[in-house]
């Protein structure tokens, strides 16, 4: 298209449009790396829509095949991690990934710097509406699920997955390995894993439907946890208004429940030790041996 440089009367300035009506400038970054020397994969300080699944011969990307030139797809799937980060251009630049010995590290920034960047971005995208005070005085909250930042990762089955200070909509497939997660907000959903270590803050939620080993859980704020599968040992610390519901089987239970928190086990447990304080509530479907302490206002139901 040719642009005329002839002088012409300038029209009166139009009223500014809402930033959200303008097309979004999207940037995508793709990388493939081998499993780090630590043998684990870690994501830290990320906000957005996160999908982690097992690397298989069927989901190897063309860029991965070109990079490694390996015709043995089964072997390659056991050693390669694929990462695709996409979303609004400035956000992707801010969260630019780079490979490290433990996985992928995003640009180093303090919590305050990240909050300021996100606040500026949301104001540019959505205007100064109800999102204006979104990050004031608290963690990122559940709104990470709505940010236009998407991370897709494939890791070899059995690779330990570490999620540090992450918020948003987080989906983990059947990795059959360990998951360690510290959530600042949002929702974590996971399929079959071998063990879990969870720290949930604020209004975080975690749905782990098929755990095949031990679980360590720390729940704070108004967090919610739902556990299923065959849990060999459950160690739980619940504070404030945190709640945990366990529908899977549990071999042994060690729990500390305070504030107005609630722990509910739907299946029988052979041995349980529970320290329950304040006005907290523990409900056990059936227990063979129960020990622990309880304050006057606390409730323990066991059959």
């Amino acid at each position: 298209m040719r642009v005329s440089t002839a002088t012409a009367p300038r029209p009166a300035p139009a009223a500014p449009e809402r930033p959200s009506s303008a097309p979004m400038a999207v940037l995508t970054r793709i990388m493939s790396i081998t499993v780090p020397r630590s043998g684990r994969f870690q994501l830290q300080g990320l906000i957005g829509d996160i999908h982690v699944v097992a690397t298989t011969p069927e989901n190897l990307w063309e860029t991965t095949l070109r990079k490694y030139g390996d015709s043995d797809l089964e072997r390659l799937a056991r050693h390669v991690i694929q990462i695709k980060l996409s979303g609004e251009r400035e956000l992707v630049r801010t969260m630019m990934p780079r490979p490290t010995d433990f996985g992928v590290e995003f640009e180093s920034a303090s919590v305050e710097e990240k909050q300021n960047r996100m606040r500026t971005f949301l104001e540019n995208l959505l205007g100064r509406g109800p999102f204006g005070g979104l990050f004031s005085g608290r963690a990122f909250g559940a709104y990470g699920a709505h940010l236009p930042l998407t991370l897709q990762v494939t890791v070899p089955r059995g690779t330990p997955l570490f999620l540090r200070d992450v918020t948003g909509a987080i989906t983990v497939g059947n990795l059959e390995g360990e998951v360690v997660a510290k959530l600042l907000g949002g929702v974590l959903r996971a399929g079959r894993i071998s063990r879990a270590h969870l720290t949930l803050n604020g209004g975080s939620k975690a749905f782990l439907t098929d755990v095949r080993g031990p679980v360590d859980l720390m729940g704070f704020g108004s967090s919610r946890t739902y556990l299923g599968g065959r849990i060999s040992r459950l160690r739980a610390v619940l504070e404030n208004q945190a709640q945990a519901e366990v529908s899977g089987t549990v071999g042994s239970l060690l729990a500390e429940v305070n504030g107005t928190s609630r722990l509910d086990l739907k299946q029988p447990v052979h041995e349980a030790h529970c320290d329950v304080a304040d006005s907290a509530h523990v409900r056990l479907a059936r227990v063979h041996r129960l020990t622990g302490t309880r304050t006057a206002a606390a409730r323990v139901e066991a059959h």
Side-chain angles (χ1 to χ4, degrees):
M1 177 184 297
R2 298 185 62 186
V3 180
S4 173
T5 57
T7 303
R10 293 187 177 181
E17 296 181 356
R18 286 183 60 85
S20 57
S21 64
M24 182 185 300
V26 176
L27 178 64
T28 298
R29 296 183 184 274
I30 298 177
M31 68 171 65
S32 301
I33 61 175
T34 55
V35 175
R37 286 179 291 180
S38 64
R40 72 182 193 184
F41 181 72
Q42 178 170 307
L43 296 171
Q44 182 168 353
L46 187 65
I47 306 169
D49 192 0
I50 303 169
H51 302 261
V52 184
V53 299
T55 306
T56 66
E58 294 75 25
N59 66 13
L60 290 171
W61 302 342
E62 184 63 31
T63 53
T64 302
L65 298 177
R66 288 201 306 266
K67 175 179 179 178
Y68 290 96
D70 196 332
S71 58
D72 187 345
L73 302 187
E74 292 282 353
R75 177 185 176 280
L76 188 58
R78 292 194 298 268
H79 296 91
V80 73
I81 294 171
Q82 303 175 119
I83 303 158
K84 181 179 180 181
L85 179 67
S86 61
E88 196 275 338
R89 183 181 299 274
E90 292 306 316
L91 265 185
V92 174
R93 285 176 174 171
T94 298
M95 310 301 288
M96 183 173 65
R98 64 183 183 89
T100 68
D101 286 343
F102 56 78
V104 167
E105 180 180 72
F106 293 88
E107 179 186 279
S108 178
S110 68
V111 172
E112 183 179 359
E113 288 172 332
K114 289 179 180 178
Q115 290 177 347
N116 289 337
R117 290 173 181 176
M118 287 299 169
R119 181 187 295 110
T120 300
F121 169 72
L122 285 176
E123 289 176 351
N124 291 337
L125 181 70
L126 303 169
R128 296 176 177 270
F131 290 91
L134 181 61
F135 300 123
S136 56
R138 57 178 177 151
F140 296 118
Y143 294 100
H146 305 296
L147 294 179
L149 181 62
T150 301
L151 178 70
Q152 300 177 40
V153 178
T154 75
V155 297
R157 205 177 301 275
T159 302
L161 174 65
F162 284 68
L163 304 170
R164 302 287 193 189
D165 298 330
V166 181
T167 185
I170 307 157
T171 304
V172 177
N174 296 325
L175 297 185
E176 300 180 7
E178 179 183 11
V179 172
V180 179
K182 179 184 176 183
L183 303 186
L184 298 180
V187 181
L188 167 65
R189 301 180 187 274
R192 180 175 298 180
I193 57 177
S194 64
R195 65 179 299 162
H197 186 104
L198 304 177
T199 303
L200 307 182
N201 297 286
S204 303
K205 295 182 180 180
F207 299 83
L208 277 61
T209 58
D210 196 2
V211 183
R212 302 297 180 94
V215 174
D216 297 314
L217 168 65
M218 297 187 68
F220 303 99
S222 58
S223 63
R224 300 288 184 271
T225 307
Y226 304 87
L227 299 173
R230 297 196 295 269
I231 301 168
S232 59
R233 171 190 49 75
L234 172 60
R235 294 193 300 187
V237 176
L238 302 178
E239 300 280 353
N240 311 123
Q241 301 173 335
Q243 295 186 21
E245 180 180 312
V246 185
S247 60
T249 59
V250 176
S252 63
L253 170 68
L254 177 62
E256 180 181 336
V257 187
N258 303 309
T260 58
S261 298
R262 178 185 175 92
L263 174 62
D264 189 357
L265 269 65
K266 303 293 187 180
Q267 299 286 344
V269 58
H270 180 74
E271 185 174 2
H273 180 97
C274 301
D275 294 321
V276 190
D278 305 319
S279 56
H281 183 194
V282 172
R283 184 179 183 276
L284 306 175
R286 187 166 71 249
V287 61
H288 176 72
R289 181 171 181 266
L290 175 63
T291 59
T293 61
R294 178 177 67 87
T295 60
R299 290 189 297 160
V300 178
E301 299 179 28
H303 304 282

